Amino acid sequence: MYELPKLSYEYGALEPHIDTRTMEIHHGKHHAGYTSKFNAAIDGTDLADQKLEDILAQVSKHSTAVRNNGGGFFNHSLFWEVMSPNGSGLPDAAGKLGHAITEDFGSFDSFKDQFSAAAGSRFGSGWAWLVVTENGHLAVTSTPNQDNPLMDVADVQGTPILGLDVWEHAYYLNYQNRRPDYVGAFFSVVNWDEVEKRFNQA
Ligand code: MN
């Protein structure tokens, strides 16, 4: 059975970029809901014994409930971890990730522009991602709903190392229709140490 992961910081720790009430509802209601519905969808099936990554990699074979709630469980678990009240603002320029961003996007600012455009142009609900593709390069992509780049249905597949939730439930209380402001604020709380760790493991 999957459990709602605990946050390593308080609900209010990401203020003023992400407000306390949004964090309470997002983690305590939305993520909790995906978790319990995912458990219900796999309980008593052979998926209960499979690794989450393996389930997602073959998600086209599974039910809509598995796709939506398994994705929702995974995506939010990653999302909380790639944010921190002590965000450094930039990846370590001397680290492997900093070098890879420069190599694959030209500069950090160019990466940020691409990521922000992906987040801003995702119509309706979904996610923006920085992924490590099969050939080891970085790519920016976005997915609808609770899909993610681990899924066999994704346009761009790879290992997600940074994800941004652009569902309205992630920002509407504080930002209303101003998604670009929320996307800009997100960069103030990105936990680049965690993203670098995921990059090195990918
Ligand atoms: Mn969400």
Side-chain angles (χ1 to χ4, degrees), residues 7-202:
L7 301 185
S8 64
Y9 43 81
E10 302 293 321
Y11 283 141
L14 303 179
E15 293 262 11
H17 310 290
I18 301 185
D19 64 284
T20 309
R21 186 72 180 128
T22 294
M23 287 296 296
E24 284 173 1
I25 299 168
H26 202 177
H27 177 262
K29 304 292 185 193
H30 290 281
H31 195 187
Y34 295 122
T35 306
S36 63
K37 287 176 188 161
F38 184 45
N39 282 324
I42 63 172
D43 186 31
T45 76
D46 60 352
L47 297 184
D49 299 322
Q50 286 188 22
K51 279 177 57 183
L52 178 57
E53 286 77 2
D54 294 337
I55 295 173
L56 299 177
Q58 300 197 46
V59 83
S60 62
K61 298 178 181 170
H62 308 316
S63 67
T64 303
V66 167
R67 178 172 172 173
N68 289 343
N69 296 297
F73 175 79
F74 176 92
N75 296 348
H76 290 85
S77 300
L78 179 147
F79 186 48
W80 312 132
E81 290 193 1
V82 297
M83 295 190 291
S84 163
N86 307 311
S88 57
L90 289 168
D92 178 2
K96 286 182 187 166
L97 176 61
H99 282 298
I101 287 175
T102 304
E103 188 167 309
D104 289 328
F105 298 102
S107 67
F108 179 78
D109 284 346
S110 174
F111 150 72
K112 189 175 170 180
D113 287 347
Q114 282 191 42
F115 187 90
S116 300
S121 62
R122 166 51 56 190
F123 183 75
S125 298
W127 291 74
W129 303 101
L130 174 63
V131 304
V132 181
T133 61
E134 204 175 29
N135 62 15
H137 285 287
L138 293 170
V140 163
T141 186
S142 76
T143 53
N145 305 313
Q146 294 296 352
D147 287 358
N148 67 48
L150 293 176
M151 293 182 174
D152 57 354
V153 295
D155 292 338
V156 176
Q157 292 173 33
T159 304
I161 61 172
L162 177 69
L164 173 58
D165 188 343
V166 296
W167 284 56
E168 285 189 345
H169 69 223
Y171 63 89
Y172 205 82
L173 290 180
N174 199 28
Y175 294 97
Q176 293 82 49
N177 62 328
R178 303 187 309 279
R179 188 192 287 184
D181 291 355
Y182 159 71
V183 174
F186 171 70
F187 278 97
S188 298
V189 294
V190 172
N191 180 355
W192 286 107
D193 290 344
E194 175 66 23
V195 180
E196 174 118 35
K197 191 182 96 185
R198 288 168 182 265
F199 174 73
N200 290 331
Q201 289 168 351

